[in-house]
Every structure is written in C-alpha cells, then in structure tokens.
Amino acid sequence: MRAIKGVLFTCDPAVKQILLTMNEKDSFIIEDLDDHHLVIKADDEYRVRKELEAELEKNTYSLEA
C-alpha cells in the first residue's frame, strides 16, 4: 500500500461536476467523498485551482459598456 498526500477540496455540486470533467483529462482526484468534498493530489492543487478559475471565468457573464 502506498500513501498519497492529498488536500481536502470543498465546493458546491456544480463546481464539483466541473472538477470531475477536468479529472477525466488529467487524473488528480484521489477520493470523491460526498456532494461537497473531494480529496485531490496535493502536488496538483495549484494547477487545479488555476484551471478551475479559468473555467469559471468562461462561464461568467460580464456587462460590457
């Protein structure tokens, strides 16, 4: 058995679905705990947060004047 260093990631169910989709491309989820919690690889935390932020920006409506 091998230990993997992980980080508890708390989010709402909509964001979790985005993370699950991102995980299909590059596996970083260690354990899917419940509707609001995931354990992700500690080494990938920064990259996952940046990619998630970029994905959420694409889905944000901004009013341009």
Side-chain angles (χ1 to χ4, degrees):
M1 183 172 220
R2 209 171 110 225
I4 301 171
K5 188 174 181 182
V7 175
L8 180 64
F9 202 91
T10 304
C11 58
D12 62 35
V15 171
K16 182 179 172 193
Q17 286 304 313
I18 294 171
L19 290 169
L20 291 172
T21 302
M22 288 170 49
N23 189 59
E24 291 173 5
K25 179 181 68 170
D26 186 24
S27 183
F28 56 84
I29 295 177
I30 298 171
E31 189 71 34
D32 184 351
L33 300 175
D34 59 29
D35 287 346
H36 297 277
H37 299 93
L38 297 165
V39 178
I40 64 171
K41 294 177 184 173
D43 295 340
D44 292 332
E45 179 188 9
Y46 181 78
R47 179 185 57 81
V48 169
R49 287 185 184 276
K50 287 297 175 189
E51 286 181 20
L52 179 61
E53 187 178 316
E55 190 66 33
L56 292 173
E57 272 301 310
K58 286 195 275 184
N59 294 322
T60 302
Y61 177 77
S62 62
L63 191 62
E64 295 180 24

